[in-house]
């Protein structure tokens, strides 16, 4: 969710690149896809035209501010 919050709208590859950069290791495509589907189902993110976004501005703000 952090990658999506930072980018505003993020494609699957952008999310994968962010996870690899932050963790320093490769995460399986299956894991990322599964987690994105769960977040969509719970309503935390939505997918439009191959881009993921956080529809709730308060959640996005909280994710962006958590490092401060």
């Amino acid at each position: 969710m952090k990658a999506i919050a930072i980018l505003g709208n993020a494609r699957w590859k952008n999310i994968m690149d962010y996870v690899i950069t932050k963790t320093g290791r490769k995460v399986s495509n299956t894991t990322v896809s599964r987690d994105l589907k769960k977040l969509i189902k719970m309503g935390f993110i939505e997918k439009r035209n191959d881009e993921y976004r956080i529809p709730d501005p308060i959640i996005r703000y909280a994710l962006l501010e958590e490092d401060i």
Side-chain angles (χ1 to χ4, degrees):
M1 284 183 63
K2 184 78 168 199
I4 299 169
I6 290 170
L7 297 171
N9 293 319
R11 293 187 175 273
W12 189 90
K13 183 180 180 341
N14 304 129
I15 296 166
M16 182 63 92
D17 291 343
Y18 180 87
V19 171
I20 291 169
T21 300
K22 285 297 184 179
T23 63
R25 55 193 162 127
K26 177 96 167 100
V27 178
S28 74
N29 295 345
T30 305
T31 300
V32 174
S33 294
R34 183 192 63 226
D35 291 346
L36 288 172
K37 285 178 186 177
K38 284 182 181 179
L39 289 168
I40 290 169
K41 187 175 181 177
M42 290 186 286
F44 288 112
I45 65 173
E46 60 187 21
K47 183 179 179 182
R48 290 189 186 162
N49 301 325
D50 294 330
E51 290 186 331
Y52 298 90
R53 63 184 290 278
I54 298 172
D56 186 329
I58 295 171
I59 292 174
R60 182 170 184 252
Y61 177 79
L63 287 164
L64 293 172
E65 294 297 314
E66 73 180 4
D67 289 335
I68 294 176

